[in-house]
Amino acid sequence: MTATLLDPSTVGAYLASRGDLAHLIDPSTVTVREVGDGNLNLVFIATDAQNRSLVIKQSLPYVRMVGESWPLSQDRILAEARGYDAATRFSPDSIPEYHGLDEPRRLIVLEDLSGWTVWRTALNEGRVSPGAAAVVGRHVARVGFGTSVFALDSAAHKAAVAASVNPELCRITEDLVFTEPYRDAENNAWDEQLTDAVLALRSDAMLAEVAELKLAFTTRAEALVHGDLHTGSIFVPGGDTRDAAKVFDAEFSFYGPVGFDLGALFGNVLLARARATVLDRPDEFVDWLDGLVAEAWQAFEMEFRALWPTRADDSYTDRFLDAWLRRTWSDAVGFGGVKAIRRIVGLAKVSDIQTLDTDDRVRAAGLVLETAQTWVKERSALGTAEDLLERTLGILGRR
Ligand code: SR1
Ligand code: MG
């Protein structure tokens, strides 16, 4: 059954029914804007006469970017709530403050971060956000460790895996990230100048590598991952604020490989770097971009190693951790590759590339496809962030 949908005219009455939020907002004086510009949901910002505000996010019974012809269960808000519950527990400073789930209405209430900027927008504008990648890397380590079998006992881990299945949203990722870009599919579209590069993605060698990554995504239930941690799911602060970022939009969360979230970030850094290349952005910005993968990874690794002594089961030894980190790095590089490719070939393209004029767009997209394919195929050999950067700059060009 569809939960009754809010609209700007009904949000005030809804908030008035939520006595538990009365200390945060005065419903009798709110003005409301619908600001959802993502692919899936309704998002309202309610602001009262004292300028206090809240975000209300409600899942629609269909995919917003496509319309009612693509039905999608409103239950995805339950996955998002699980993501926020875990992040509130293990990494509260790197998410918007979470004010809870209204299960019957299929909505959640969050802190309003209107003063912040979606990271993709800031990157498109050429803005440096010092330390943001490290915050995201630490966030992935904290939630990844806290929800994993390393921190939970075996039964608790199994219960969490069972409670967090998210088949509908995972299926979207399986189709759009791991399947459709590598075959003919209705959702695919690209500039004709890219056809040779797109068809080259369908080589036997590439298909086998993508299948490995898909198998890891579908079967390796290591920890509760965000599931869609691209730069459009991260806010960065304005002004001179350093070392801050807020992760949001966790509706794709499920138990999967920890490297998947890092890979989403890496792949989207690549998209931003390709844009910066064709726009000939200043060295200061490009050099900073070139350090982001290492910054995120080092923060992730350092935090994971710091949490390791608190693990629940010491049959996972220190030597095992070294091997697990190596595998997680190479997973992240491979996932980064497929996450970048899908934004060039398949459904749900990104403004980093789409807002470029035609010549720049084709050039940037071609650079992404070549680099990302290398990441997927050579991920085992590209063992460190330095190796990856060296290989990437060999394609994108040095400054
Ligand atoms: C049909 S949903 C398309 C995309 O939007 C989300 O942000 C995910 O990235 C998904 O793949
Ligand atoms: Mg999203």
Side-chain angles (χ1 to χ4, degrees):
M1 204 180 70
T2 304
T4 308
L5 296 177
L6 292 171
D7 65 55
S9 71
T10 57
V11 168
Y14 172 73
L15 289 171
S17 76
R18 291 285 307 268
D20 58 316
L21 300 175
H23 62 297
L24 296 172
I25 201 157
D26 173 5
S28 68
T29 65
V30 291
T31 53
V32 180
R33 289 179 298 137
E34 205 281 306
V35 296
D37 62 353
N39 295 331
L40 296 176
N41 304 294
L42 289 172
V43 182
F44 302 95
I45 298 179
T47 307
D48 72 10
Q50 296 172 63
N51 215 23
R52 297 179 303 174
S53 55
L54 288 174
V55 165
I56 299 113
K57 175 174 178 177
Q58 186 175 40
S59 51
L60 285 162
Y62 53 85
V63 173
R64 182 177 184 149
M65 68 179 292
V66 173
E68 294 184 42
S69 62
W70 186 341
L72 191 64
S73 166
Q74 290 179 290
D75 291 355
R76 62 186 181 276
I77 205 77
L78 309 180
E80 179 142 17
R82 287 191 291 271
Y84 276 118
D85 279 334
T88 300
R89 198 158 158 225
F90 299 114
S91 189
D93 295 341
S94 48
I95 54 166
E97 194 174 346
Y98 174 53
H99 300 299
L101 166 73
D102 179 341
E103 189 168 340
R105 294 300 295 268
R106 293 298 192 257
L107 64 79
I108 57 174
V109 180
L110 297 159
E111 177 186 8
D112 174 24
L113 292 176
S114 292
W116 296 53
T117 307
V118 173
W119 201 2
R120 190 185 302 289
T121 306
L123 290 166
N124 284 350
E125 291 167 358
R127 272 174 46 192
V128 169
S129 301
V135 172
V136 177
R138 268 192 296 280
H139 173 85
V140 173
R142 287 173 183 166
V143 178
F145 181 85
T147 59
S148 74
V149 77
F150 306 135
L152 301 171
D153 78 32
S154 166
H157 178 253
K158 284 176 177 59
V161 172
S164 306
V165 291
N166 193 1
E168 245 192 329
L169 282 276
C170 284
R171 180 63 196 257
I172 289 176
T173 303
E174 288 157 26
D175 289 346
L176 297 187
V177 176
F178 296 101
T179 308
E180 293 186 359
Y182 306 96
R183 61 177 62 173
D184 291 338
E186 263 182 37
N187 287 321
N188 291 343
W190 57 80
D191 288 301
E192 61 176 1
Q193 300 92 319
L194 297 169
T195 297
D196 287 349
V198 171
L199 296 182
L201 300 172
R202 302 180 187 182
S203 70
D204 283 349
M206 185 69 178
L207 294 182
E209 298 296 346
V210 174
E212 280 292 339
L213 292 163
K214 184 175 182 178
L215 183 67
F217 176 84
T218 51
T219 62
R220 208 188 306 135
E222 286 178 338
L224 190 72
V225 298
H226 176 283
D228 198 26
L229 192 49
H230 54 79
T231 50
S233 298
I234 300 166
F235 284 119
V236 290
D240 295 332
T241 308
R242 307 173 58 92
D243 306 323
K246 303 275 188 185
V247 170
F248 66 101
D249 246 7
E251 67 216 307
F252 283 78
S253 80
F254 76 111
Y255 262 76
V258 172
F260 189 69
D261 282 348
L262 294 165
L265 179 62
F266 294 0
N268 281 268
V269 168
L270 173 58
L271 291 159
R273 176 56 159 88
R275 177 187 176 87
T277 302
V278 301
L279 292 181
D280 202 18
R281 293 288 200 208
D283 286 355
E284 186 208 354
F285 179 66
V286 174
D287 290 347
W288 169 76
L289 274 180
D290 285 343
L292 289 185
V293 166
E295 179 184 319
W297 174 259
Q298 282 160 12
F300 167 80
E301 177 175 355
M302 198 176 291
E303 188 68 13
F304 217 93
R305 287 190 184 282
L307 292 165
W308 193 244
T310 68
R311 66 195 179 280
D313 178 353
D314 64 9
S315 55
Y316 297 109
T317 63
D318 290 348
R319 187 171 172 143
F320 164 81
L321 175 61
D322 292 341
W324 185 85
L325 286 167
R326 277 196 299 278
R327 189 183 68 184
T328 299
W329 163 259
S330 110
D331 286 350
V333 173
F335 287 133
V338 293
K339 293 286 268 182
I341 288 167
R342 61 78 56 107
R343 299 295 184 187
I344 304 297
V345 178
L347 187 72
K349 295 192 165 46
V350 285
S351 55
D352 319 42
I353 305 297
Q354 295 310 109
T355 57
L356 296 168
D357 68 30
T358 307
D359 288 350
D360 284 343
R361 186 176 68 239
V362 169
R363 189 168 156 236
L367 290 170
V368 170
L369 292 182
E370 187 182 349
T371 311
Q373 189 176 182
T374 304
W375 286 16
V376 171
K377 286 181 170 165
E378 299 178 18
R379 64 189 187 282
S380 303
L382 299 169
T384 66
E386 293 72 33
D387 296 340
L388 184 69
L389 181 61
E390 180 68 18
R391 191 76 179 88
T392 299
L393 295 188
I395 298 168
L396 295 181
R398 277 158 236 287
R399 307 298 291 196

